[in-house]
Amino acid sequence: MATILQPTDENLLQMSKFLLSGGLVGIPTETVYGLAANALDPEASKKIFEVKNRPSNDPLICHVASQEEVDQICFPTDLARKLCDAFWPGPLTVILRKKSVVPEIVTAGLDSVAIRCSSHPVMRSLTRLCEFPIAAPSANPFAYISPTRAEHVETSLGNKIEYIIDGGPCEFGLESTIIDAREESSPRILRYGALSPEEIEDELGMEAQRPAKTASDNIPQIAPGILPKHYSPNSKLEVVSKILDLEKIATEDEDTAYLLLQKPRFETERNVFWLSESGRLQDIAANLFDVLRKMDTIGFSRIVAEEAKELGLGVAINDRLRRAAQD
Ligand code: TXA
Ligand code: MG
């Protein structure tokens, strides 16, 4: 079992020292919980791959506190500066050309590095206390559902790490949006996430290239870790545009669970779950991984999930559902 720490000044200082000495810590961000290590320490970063059972060709995101730290590890473009000015601290990750100080293991041998500045107050404090960037992928076993609460990290990785900092439930509940900002005139979204494509395009005043529509069409060389199958429960998951006749089908087959976007108006069976009271996309996103984990713990043979409207945050919600449904 890991020790779950409250984010007091004293505990954060202790964790910054633990990270400096090569340790791994479960940390809260506004998107999902991360598994943190000193990004400039190759041995510590290597442990992240071991603990997550993550393939070594899947690079890590570096979390920074300041512009100085950005300049320390990469070559920012004007496009990146514009995006970061607008959306940092917040759920945006930019890909930029890396400097040699970043160990190869962190970037999986690529000459680019993924960088983000989290808006979670605990992560803000921790990155400021650490005089090095923090490498942190989501704190889930490779390909499983991402964690949005400290107890999710404990359940999945608690037997492999010593400390988890509890920063409460994550505000967004979906990972950051990743954008390749190396080419000034062609921003390219590599992963949909908590920041919608529309928000990015409005800010830039130009269109951003988007990832392929179906999960399996992604080009692995560009974003090595963005695999078709991801975020997956153990139960088999199926995504449908609308669940019809729910009252009837839910009682007929109790081994199948149904995941709705919005709370239904009628009394439901134990195999019916929902992601929001009112259908608000922010609530749906914030609850998605938590509810999927709950359903998976019960162990239904099949989960049928309803997709969101393909607009705003709905794009990232559907992306996660489709990947979770991949064989
Ligand atoms: O919200 C988030 O981004 C969370 C929190 C903890 O910050 N982190 C996260 O990390 O989602 P992770 O490792 O689960 O996903 C990072 C993705 C991977 O798919 C990886 O392949 C991609 O970022 N990535 C990292 N470096 C890259 C690079 N240089 N070029 C292209 N893709 C990269
Ligand atoms: Mg992840």
Side-chain angles (χ1 to χ4, degrees), residues 32-33 52 54 58 61 136-147 175 191 225 230-231 320:
V32 299
Y33 272 73
K52 277 185 57 99
R54 179 179 178 112
D58 189 353
I61 295 178
S138 50
N140 49 317
F142 181 67
Y144 192 62
I145 307 166
S146 298
E175 291 81 354
R191 175 176 75 182
H230 213 133
Y231 316 103
R320 300 304 187 269

Side-chain angles (χ1 to χ4, degrees), residues 86-218:
F87 298 115
W88 277 6
L92 170 78
T93 296
V94 289
I95 305 290
L96 289 163
R97 196 154 68 80
K98 92 182 211 5
K99 289 189 175 165
S100 58
V101 63
V102 185
E104 292 237 314
I105 187 161
V106 170
T107 60
L110 297 176
D111 62 1
S112 60
V113 60
I115 304 175
R116 108 173 180 86
C117 177
S118 166
S119 64
H120 195 294
V122 172
M123 197 52 181
R124 298 277 287 154
S125 303
L126 190 65
T127 47
R128 283 194 190 115
L129 285 170
C130 295
E131 287 170 3
F132 45 83
I134 295 177
S138 50
N140 49 317
F142 181 67
Y144 192 62
I145 307 166
S146 298
T148 54
R149 292 161 187 261
E151 57 268 28
H152 295 164
V153 184
E154 165 61 25
T155 307
S156 296
L157 302 179
N159 58 348
K160 295 183 174 170
I161 60 174
E162 282 179 68
Y163 298 106
I164 300 164
I165 305 173
D166 188 353
C170 298
E171 179 191 347
F172 290 97
L174 292 177
E175 291 81 354
S176 61
T177 301
I178 304 182
I179 186 153
D180 185 342
R182 284 174 294 178
E183 297 288 336
E184 298 288 3
S185 57
S186 55
R188 178 170 195 180
I189 298 173
L190 299 184
R191 175 176 75 182
Y192 289 124
L195 188 67
S196 73
E198 292 89 339
E199 285 172 276
I200 293 171
E201 291 174 343
D202 280 354
E203 180 61 36
L204 294 177
M206 63 171 139
E207 272 188 23
Q209 212 175 309
R210 304 203 181 187
K213 187 115 190 138
T214 58
S216 53
D217 287 351
N218 264 316

Side-chain angles (χ1 to χ4, degrees), residues 145 232-246 248-260 270-273 291-292 294-306 321 324-327:
I145 307 166
S232 304
N234 297 316
S235 310
K236 193 165 168 36
L237 188 123
E238 206 177 296
V239 187
V240 297
S241 54
K242 190 116 195 81
I243 298 174
L244 300 170
D245 274 336
L246 178 69
K248 180 159 170 280
I249 58 174
T251 44
E252 275 170 11
D253 175 5
E254 293 187 347
D255 249 5
T256 296
Y258 296 90
L259 180 58
L260 312 176
R270 65 181 273 284
N271 55 342
V272 176
F273 297 77
V291 176
L292 271 180
K294 283 194 181 115
M295 296 172 86
D296 211 28
T297 308
I298 298 171
F300 294 98
S301 64
R302 193 167 74 111
I303 298 172
V304 178
E306 215 172 43
L321 282 173
Q326 282 277 319
D327 287 324

Side-chain angles (χ1 to χ4, degrees), residues 13-25 36-41 44 129-132 134:
L13 184 62
Q14 196 198 339
M15 286 304 101
S16 70
K17 290 181 184 157
F18 186 64
L19 287 167
L20 180 64
S21 73
L24 300 189
V25 182
N38 175 354
L40 302 184
D41 177 346
L129 285 170
C130 295
E131 287 170 3
F132 45 83
I134 295 177

